[in-house]
Amino acid sequence: MKTVLITGTTSGIGKAFAEKFAYEGYNLILAARNEQKLKQQQAALQETYHVAVKYIAQDLTQENAAGLIMADIDKWKATIDVLVNNAGFNECGFFTDTSLDRELEMINMHIRFVTELTKRILVHMKENGYGRILNVGSTGSFIPSPTDAVYSATKAYIMSFSNALCGELSKTGIKITTLCPGATKTEFAAKANIQNTLLFKIAVMNPEKVVGIAYRKMMKGRRLVIPGIYNKLLVAFSKVMPISLTNRITVFMIR
Ligand SMILES: NC(=O)c1ccc[n+]([C@@H]2O[C@H](COP(=O)([O-])OP(=O)(O)OC[C@H]3O[C@@H](n4cnc5c(N)ncnc54)[C@H](OP(=O)(O)O)[C@@H]3O)[C@@H](O)[C@H]2O)c1
């Protein structure tokens, strides 16, 4: 039986990933902060899908987070076949108004933690000759976004990092996928106070739909997954439009 490690499983896209992998018969290791929710999730998934579920209650913005997760994995003697780097959050607003502390935490989690955990897990995947890693980016990975400058920059890092690793691993049994969702119906928008923006009023996808598409494509070894036709068009236009125009549209959408 294969084992998947998923971060950020207590709500939204990560929760849908946990359900999907359990449905597919994987044993799961779940990581997020809210221990009570993790415990409930463990019990529900074990009962429904008859798979083994372990959890790690951990703030992934902390400097030693990846090390602590690896210590648990070593203690359990678990082999990670699939890693889903999903946990994330947003801090929206004009850069001079947003919280620097939150932005530094975001950089810690989206960049530092994802980089360190991927490196540590990848070493074992290389020894085993098999692995799938899915890193959750965003349509913002393609679009430098005014009023979301740090978030979109961290998501651009995730895509660039993942694409480079694809090149290194092309002749191995390990595949890296970047998932770039657009607006998705989770707790994400409300936490960032952008739930009433135009961005979250049009073409919002359900997390289960996003995950269904992502799962299928990551298992095929696809490099990039942009779920939904609206998001595909958005990314395609952003590649040909002048940045000044993309800037104005983004401000309008997140207003
Ligand atoms: N929803 C969207 O519109 C959208 C669009 C593009 C990309 N994304 C990306 O999709 C991913 C999942 O987001 P979502 O929409 O599912 O949001 P969500 O519903 O808010 O879920 C976020 C998950 O991340 C965990 N998390 C947040 N901060 C954490 C921390 N410091 N340490 C550990 N875990 C933490 C949360 O768990 P705890 O609170 O229990 O820690 C939760 O399980 C993120 O990377 C996000 O950037 C979302």
Side-chain angles (χ1 to χ4, degrees):
M1 234 172 167
K2 287 193 162 67
T3 299
V4 58
L5 167 62
I6 312 172
T7 66
T9 59
T10 53
S11 69
I13 295 172
K15 190 174 183 187
F17 265 120
E19 286 279 339
K20 177 65 179 166
F21 276 100
Y23 172 80
E24 296 290 341
Y26 280 74
N27 290 327
L28 293 101
I29 300 176
L30 315 174
R33 285 169 303 184
N34 189 320
E35 183 153 17
Q36 205 188 342
K37 283 190 184 173
L38 286 166
K39 211 171 184 171
Q40 284 167 0
Q41 196 174 21
Q42 178 190 43
L45 291 171
Q46 285 185 156
E47 193 183 320
T48 310
Y49 300 104
H50 308 290
V51 293
V53 182
K54 294 188 187 299
Y55 69 78
I56 302 167
Q58 178 64 48
D59 183 346
L60 305 178
T61 66
Q62 299 299 301
E63 215 170 278
N64 58 349
L68 291 172
I69 287 185
M70 291 311 293
D72 277 342
I73 289 170
D74 290 347
K75 183 179 73 192
W76 294 327
K77 298 190 180 358
T79 299
I80 305 301
D81 303 285
V82 181
L83 167 65
V84 179
N85 276 312
N86 162 77
F89 68 92
N90 201 346
E91 168 72 9
C92 243
F94 285 102
F95 183 60
T96 46
D97 301 336
T98 47
S99 157
L100 178 62
D101 285 346
R102 288 291 283 161
E103 284 163 343
L104 293 177
E105 283 175 359
M106 191 193 298
I107 290 168
N108 265 348
M109 188 157 77
H110 294 187
I111 297 182
R112 184 195 166 98
F113 171 77
V114 168
T115 306
E116 186 179 346
L117 188 68
T118 302
K119 187 186 273 285
R120 284 170 173 253
I121 297 278
L122 203 45
V123 171
H124 295 291
M125 285 180 172
K126 268 187 148 175
E127 284 164 9
N128 300 335
Y130 175 85
R132 293 282 179 277
I133 299 178
L134 181 136
N135 293 328
V136 180
S138 161
T139 47
S141 300
F142 295 88
I143 305 168
S145 309
T147 70
D148 216 5
V150 177
Y151 177 79
S152 56
T154 64
K155 292 297 184 178
Y157 173 89
I158 285 175
M159 188 172 68
S160 171
F161 169 65
S162 309
N163 269 332
L165 292 185
C166 283
E168 288 188 19
L169 296 163
S170 62
K171 292 191 170 60
T172 72
I174 303 163
K175 303 291 172 211
I176 315 264
T177 302
T178 313
L179 168 64
C180 292
T184 309
K185 207 173 174 181
T186 68
E187 295 178 10
F188 173 87
K191 286 174 187 167
N193 201 22
I194 50 172
Q195 70 275 29
N196 295 322
T197 58
L198 195 55
L199 182 66
F200 280 88
K201 283 189 180 141
I202 49 172
V204 181
M205 292 180 75
N206 284 321
E208 293 75 18
K209 177 88 181 160
V210 169
V211 164
I213 297 167
Y215 180 88
R216 199 161 22 89
K217 296 198 171 172
M218 85 176 285
M219 289 306 160
K220 283 184 184 165
R222 293 281 172 81
R223 180 190 287 258
L224 175 68
V225 181
I226 303 171
I229 186 71
Y230 173 80
N231 295 323
K232 283 192 180 69
L233 286 172
L234 194 72
V235 167
F237 283 130
S238 76
K239 286 180 179 171
V240 292
M241 274 191 292
I243 186 72
S244 55
L245 184 58
T246 319
N247 275 178
R248 285 205 292 278
I249 293 170
T250 310
V251 171
F252 182 69
M253 297 290 285
I254 314 185
R255 207 165 45 181

